Amino acid sequence: MENLQTAGVVFRDIWKAKKRISGIIEKTPLLYSQPLSDRAGANVYLKLENMQPTGAFKLRGAANKILSLTEEEKKKGVATFSTGNHGIAVAHVAGANHIPATVCISRRVPQEKVKKLKRLGAHVEIVGDNQDDAEQYCYELEKQSGITVIKPFDDLEVIAGQGTIGLEILEACPEVDQVIIPLSGGGLLAGISLAMKATDPGIDITGVSMEKGAVMHESLKHGKPVVLKESDTLADSLLGGLGPDNRYTFSMVKHLMDQSVLVSEAVIAKGIMFMLEYHKMAIEGAAGAGIGWLLGEESNRYENIVIIISGNNVDHETIRSLTDKY
Ligand SMILES: *Cc1c(COP(=O)(O)O)cnc(C)c1O
């Protein structure tokens, strides 16, 4: 059999991750969506990662990375510069395992987020005026004190952790022939598609990004990671760059993804509202993007479609503004 081109991450890593993280993550439901199936003319299932204890799939990758550290490394502690779903996941896993966690953030991060991270037991370091300053400080800490920076996507163990979603999908729906995955740094897509393609290379992998700042999409077009200007989007969890030293995800996404599609803010809003109206769940923009895209497709050639509902980190204000408009 031809080898999968996966920059050194192998299918076995995902099985190891499944064993390592089983005590801390939820095995999430794969919900059959009748209203979406009716519209798409196919069986459509929703993989509900919004039901993880932290509200997003990032728990899987963070848990796999942190639990794979040596005792020595665990004692020195972990750090992250993310204030979003990844930062929450790192704080949660570290807290549950009595490992010190430091979150480096800029002065501009809202108090609400700071409070949430502190409640999870993290030590919050406020440095500089923007996210880049915070990131730089985080890596300085690593050099000085031997703390381990837990990267949000470009790490073998993180990718393998996200890949455990793929194993659960295959177990619940072995007939799956298309997986629709929100795409930013590509850890989620790389992990799931490795599990899918190792099982059957014919399973279609579709990556969904927002029109505003689709960094992986543009990077693939240019043949290397590019930097884009960030703008406001409902899919705020999909913002951010790939990093100039990207080791795994750019190459894996390039070789494993079948198509990359872009969605407008209105399409993302439709996805969020569909989930609220028909399944009574509030999800964030990144998670609604795939539903919105599928709703807009006139025809499709797949019979068993899975959409990854990646997270629920959305505030009341955002939902309210959408219910007024849509
Ligand atoms: C991080 C995140 C994504 C994208 O994951 P990548 O591994 O960066 O591609 C999608 N949805 C949510 C809710 C996220 O937090």
Side-chain angles (χ1 to χ4, degrees):
M1 186 180 128
E2 202 187 320
N3 272 339
L4 288 172
Q5 303 216 3
T6 61
V9 188
V10 295
F11 194 26
R12 189 195 294 270
D13 295 321
I14 299 178
W15 287 101
K16 288 185 187 163
K18 178 183 160 74
K19 185 173 174 186
R20 197 179 282 131
I21 69 180
S22 64
I24 190 157
I25 64 122
E26 282 298 325
K27 187 170 175 180
T28 56
L30 187 71
L31 178 74
Y32 177 74
S33 172
Q34 189 69 56
L36 265 174
S37 299
D38 290 346
R39 282 171 180 73
N43 298 316
V44 183
Y45 301 86
L46 305 173
K47 181 61 174 164
L48 298 181
E49 286 296 300
N50 55 314
M51 293 180 72
Q52 288 295 347
T54 54
F57 74 89
K58 292 260 182 8
L59 189 59
R60 296 176 185 260
N64 193 41
K65 177 64 181 183
I66 293 172
L67 297 179
S68 70
L69 298 177
T70 63
E71 287 311 313
E72 181 71 21
E73 287 168 328
K74 285 180 187 165
K75 227 183 265 161
K76 286 183 175 162
V78 296
T80 173
F81 42 89
S82 158
T83 62
N85 290 323
H86 177 64
I88 292 165
V90 169
H92 178 94
V93 176
N97 290 278
H98 310 290
I99 296 167
T102 301
V103 186
C104 308
I105 60 171
S106 82
R107 269 189 278 277
R108 292 188 18 208
V109 171
Q111 272 305 310
E112 267 315 301
K113 284 192 169 176
V114 177
K115 269 194 221 146
K116 185 161 187 181
L117 291 164
K118 284 189 175 160
R119 235 183 289 131
L120 288 166
H123 169 69
V124 177
E125 287 264 5
I126 301 178
V127 269
D129 288 319
N130 58 49
Q131 208 41 35
D132 287 349
D133 290 346
E135 175 171 351
Q136 207 187 342
Y137 181 77
C138 209
Y139 283 109
E140 265 166 38
L141 271 187
E142 185 173 55
K143 265 196 234 137
Q144 285 165 13
S145 68
I147 214 167
T148 304
V149 176
I150 309 298
K151 295 182 178 165
F153 53 86
D154 199 33
D155 179 282
L156 188 158
E157 306 296 358
V158 170
I159 293 167
Q162 324 303 28
T164 59
I165 297 170
L167 300 181
E168 291 175 18
I169 293 171
L170 287 160
E171 190 187 353
C173 180
E175 307 80 18
V176 58
D177 53 14
Q178 183 181 38
V179 188
I180 300 171
I181 309 172
L183 176 60
S184 175
L188 177 65
L189 190 141
I192 295 175
S193 27
L194 173 53
M196 293 298 154
K197 298 287 186 185
T199 303
D200 179 355
I203 299 173
D204 174 87
I205 302 292
T206 295
V208 187
S209 317
M210 67 290 186
E211 275 169 0
K212 293 180 174 180
V215 76
M216 184 63 87
H217 185 90
E218 289 305 317
S219 297
L220 290 170
K221 268 209 267 178
H222 286 82
K224 60 169 197 292
V226 296
V227 177
L228 299 180
K229 215 179 108 232
E230 291 193 352
S231 43
D232 281 347
T233 168
L234 283 168
D236 55 319
S237 288
L238 302 184
L239 289 169
L242 300 182
D245 309 316
N246 188 288
R247 241 181 104 188
Y248 301 101
T249 59
F250 177 70
S251 165
M252 287 181 77
V253 172
K254 178 173 156 190
H255 290 109
L256 299 174
M257 182 171 62
D258 296 286
Q259 62 170 336
S260 168
V261 299
L262 301 182
V263 288
S264 68
E265 294 300 303
V267 167
I268 296 170
K270 274 197 195 116
I272 297 176
M273 291 309 294
F274 191 92
M275 197 67 178
L276 193 60
E277 186 160 338
Y278 292 97
H279 294 295
K280 311 300 175 196
M281 280 184 243
I283 58 169
E284 58 179 287
I291 296 178
W293 176 73
L294 189 65
L295 286 171
E297 286 299 279
E298 268 164 23
S299 64
N300 76 76
R301 28 195 192 100
Y302 299 102
E303 286 174 20
N304 295 286
I305 303 171
V306 172
I307 307 177
I308 308 298
I309 308 303
S310 51
N312 68 7
N313 196 353
V314 65
D315 53 40
H316 292 192
E317 279 315 310
T318 307
I319 297 285
R320 193 170 313 135
S321 72
L322 295 180
T323 42
D324 289 347
K325 254 184 1 204
Y326 292 90

